[in-house]
């Protein structure tokens, strides 16, 4: 048995995903400390929300069992990102930074953390779907890119805990030719259209289904943040880049917004929802048109790799198609490749939620810990 080793964990974000991650980290730490081959001590070195932080200048770490009460009573402000990078860089053991936010400023700082040998695991889509220059900077610095710095993994930036990115990377790394990626990439949009036009027929008015999805907690606080298609566009940008396409940004290809032009100037999400019923007729017409063809309408994204085309929007599918038959808020992603031919490799399951998103982050942390040995 080798000597015990220590790895420090720094966490930014303690909301829904952050909380679930810290709970899973506690379980993982207990398990790794008992490893018969390489016992590992995981120490929570730093934990920050936007307003306060747990920070130990002497690198002592904080008990995982009581982080919530410790953070609540903390009067320490979070470190500025350059200060945090210096603090982690000077730590006496290896450090993994876990970014559980969707913050662009944190994402922009990834190259500086990575170049100092600090590894990163994150569900933050903005780091990998922002400018192509940021993407290149991250993977130029990362050891699992072309650099010599820390490792970076971001499975949960697409499909929460579903193994979408790792599967795509495996296909590409083993020399398969990815031809097309297609699917429902948003739990919100999945739930919304499965309710609006079930394969069994019926369904409510579009505006009523949007309100229902919001009331059930499936949408963002402002439903327009889902309906504008940008969340799906970010995920498609990430997958297209991993498949080898130099996509400039999530706004550099066609993205269909379901926000009527006349409502783009609404001052609030509530104002928008109050006026949305005025436009139910348009969505009803789409539904009826699909019904006449024996199809249903779904909100999908697709990447045509040889054609170098990415698009996001409404498409019609036969009732027997896997995308049409999706239930609840599940995601489905189909990889059409040379190896898989006409029968795509399909990944399907819960694509949203704190626990499953955190599971993807924790699984990425396990990968990094293995590499750091």
């Amino acid at each position: 048995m080798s000597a015990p080793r220590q790895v420090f964990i720094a966490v930014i974000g303690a909301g829904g995903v952050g909380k679930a991650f810290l709970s899973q980290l506690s379980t993982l730490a207990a398990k790794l400390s008992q490893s018969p081959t390489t016992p590992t001590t995981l120490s929570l070195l730093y934990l920050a929300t936007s307003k306060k932080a747990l920070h130990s200048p002497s690198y002592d770490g904080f008990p995982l069992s009581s982080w919530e009460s410790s953070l609540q009573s903390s009067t320490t402000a979070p470190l500025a990102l350059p200060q945090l990078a210096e603090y982690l860089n000077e730590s006496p053991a290896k450090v993994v930074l876990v970014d559980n936010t969707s913050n662009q400023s944190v994402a922009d700082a990834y190259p500086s953390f990575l170049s100092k040998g600090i590894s990163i695991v994150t569900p933050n889509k903005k780091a990998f779907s922002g400018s192509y220059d940021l993407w290149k900077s991250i993977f130029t610095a990362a050891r699992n890119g072309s650099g010599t710095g820390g490792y970076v993994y971001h499975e949960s930036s697409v499909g929460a805990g579903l193994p979408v990115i790792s599967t795509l990377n495996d296909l590409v790394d083993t020399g398969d030719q990815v031809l097309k990626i297609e699917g429902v990439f948003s739990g919100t949009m999945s739930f919304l259209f499965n309710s609006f036009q079930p394969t069994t027929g019926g369904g409510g008015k579009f505006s009523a289904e949007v309100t229902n999805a919001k009331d059930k907690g499936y949408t963002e606080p402002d439903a327009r943040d889902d309906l504008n298609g940008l969340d799906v566009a970010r995920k498609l940008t990430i997958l297209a880049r991993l498949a080898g396409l130099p996509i400039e940004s999530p706004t550099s290809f066609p993205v269909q917004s379901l926000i009527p032009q006349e409502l783009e100037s609404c001052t609030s999400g509530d104002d928008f929802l109050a006026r949305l019923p005025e436009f139910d007729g348009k969505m009803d017409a789409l539904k009826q048109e699909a019904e006449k063809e024996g199809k249903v309408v779904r909100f999908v994204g697709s990447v045509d790799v040889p054609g170098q085309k990415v698009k996001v929007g409404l498409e019609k599918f036969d009732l027997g198609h896997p995308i049409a038959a999706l239930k609840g808020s599940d995601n489905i992603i189909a990889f059409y490749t040379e190896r898989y031919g006409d029968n795509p490799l399909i990944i399907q399951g819960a694509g949203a939620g704190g626990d499953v998103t955190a599971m993807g982050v924790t699984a990425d942390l396990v990968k990094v810990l293995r590499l750091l040995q």
Side-chain angles (χ1 to χ4, degrees):
M1 180 164 125
S2 56
R5 64 171 186 151
Q6 182 165 50
V7 178
F8 286 126
I9 310 294
V11 181
I12 303 177
V17 174
K19 236 177 220 177
F21 167 75
L22 285 157
S23 168
Q24 293 175 23
L25 179 64
S26 183
T27 305
L28 177 66
K31 180 182 169 190
L32 292 181
S33 69
Q34 302 300 316
S35 168
T37 51
T38 316
T40 301
T41 301
L42 297 183
S43 298
L44 180 63
L45 184 63
Y46 178 85
L47 171 62
T49 63
S50 57
K51 295 189 173 63
K52 50 173 65 178
L54 295 179
H55 170 223
S56 164
S58 54
Y59 299 97
D60 291 331
F62 300 89
L64 280 165
S65 55
S66 56
W67 70 266
E68 209 158 353
S69 55
S70 302
L71 185 64
Q72 212 165 3
S73 56
S74 170
T75 53
T76 307
L79 293 173
L81 292 168
Q83 285 175 282
L84 178 60
E86 283 308 321
Y87 167 67
L88 299 181
N89 185 41
E90 289 166 16
S91 93
K94 295 276 190 189
V95 181
V96 182
L97 173 65
V98 183
D99 172 22
N100 287 317
T101 75
S102 58
N103 187 299
Q104 187 68 59
S105 301
V106 180
D108 289 341
Y110 284 7
S112 71
F113 284 101
L114 290 164
S115 63
K116 289 176 166 60
I118 299 157
S119 295
I120 296 172
V121 296
T122 181
N124 190 343
K125 287 187 279 291
K126 289 179 182 167
F128 308 95
S129 65
S131 74
Y132 193 54
D133 282 344
L134 177 58
W135 168 276
K136 286 189 288 189
S137 298
I138 288 170
F139 287 102
T140 298
R143 192 173 288 265
N144 53 328
S146 56
T148 56
Y151 296 96
V152 63
Y153 284 92
H154 57 108
E155 185 69 75
S156 288
S157 63
V158 179
L162 296 175
V164 179
I165 286 174
S166 51
T167 300
L168 177 54
N169 280 333
D170 286 348
L171 290 169
V172 172
D173 290 346
T174 57
D176 199 356
Q177 188 63 44
V178 180
L179 305 172
K180 184 181 179 185
I181 305 167
E182 180 181 54
V184 173
F185 293 87
S186 159
T188 306
M189 293 303 221
S190 178
F191 179 82
L192 181 54
F193 280 90
N194 294 340
S195 305
F196 172 63
Q197 192 175 21
T199 51
T200 50
K205 295 287 184 189
F206 187 70
S207 61
E209 295 299 355
V210 173
T211 301
N212 178 40
K214 183 176 187 296
D215 291 346
K216 283 185 157 61
Y218 284 111
T219 72
E220 295 293 328
D222 185 337
R224 292 176 293 179
D225 292 337
D226 294 295
L227 295 175
N228 64 13
L230 188 60
D231 175 65
V232 177
R234 286 191 180 283
K235 294 167 185 173
L236 266 287
T237 299
I238 294 168
L239 295 181
R241 287 173 175 174
L242 290 170
L245 302 186
I247 301 299
E248 191 48 51
S249 77
T251 55
S252 61
F253 52 84
V255 179
Q256 182 179 0
S257 170
L258 299 185
I259 299 170
Q261 210 170 350
E262 298 90 334
L263 299 188
E264 281 174 1
S265 58
C266 283
T267 51
S268 71
D270 290 341
D271 180 28
F272 167 75
L273 284 180
R275 292 193 55 200
L276 191 56
E278 297 167 30
F279 300 89
D280 279 339
K282 285 185 179 176
M283 293 302 288
D284 275 345
L286 278 174
K287 186 198 278 195
Q288 285 158 15
E289 185 187 303
E291 270 173 11
K292 280 179 193 162
E293 296 174 30
K295 297 182 176 184
V296 291
V297 177
R298 296 292 183 258
F299 194 84
V300 298
S302 64
V303 181
D304 169 1
V305 180
Q308 301 202 343
K309 286 181 186 152
V310 184
K311 65 175 177 175
V312 172
L314 293 172
E315 304 269 354
K316 290 182 281 194
F317 292 91
D318 291 326
L319 298 181
H321 195 286
I323 286 177
L326 213 53
K327 297 281 187 288
S329 60
D330 278 6
N331 283 186
I332 184 168
I333 295 93
F335 293 108
Y336 294 83
T337 75
E338 281 189 353
R339 273 185 209 141
Y340 283 89
D342 294 333
N343 294 322
L345 169 57
I346 290 177
I347 296 167
Q348 180 177 340
D355 284 339
V356 290
T357 303
M359 184 270 282
V361 178
T362 307
D364 277 347
L365 173 59
V366 171
K367 287 176 193 166
V368 171
L369 293 173
R370 284 183 188 136
L371 291 164
L372 291 177
Q373 283 182 19

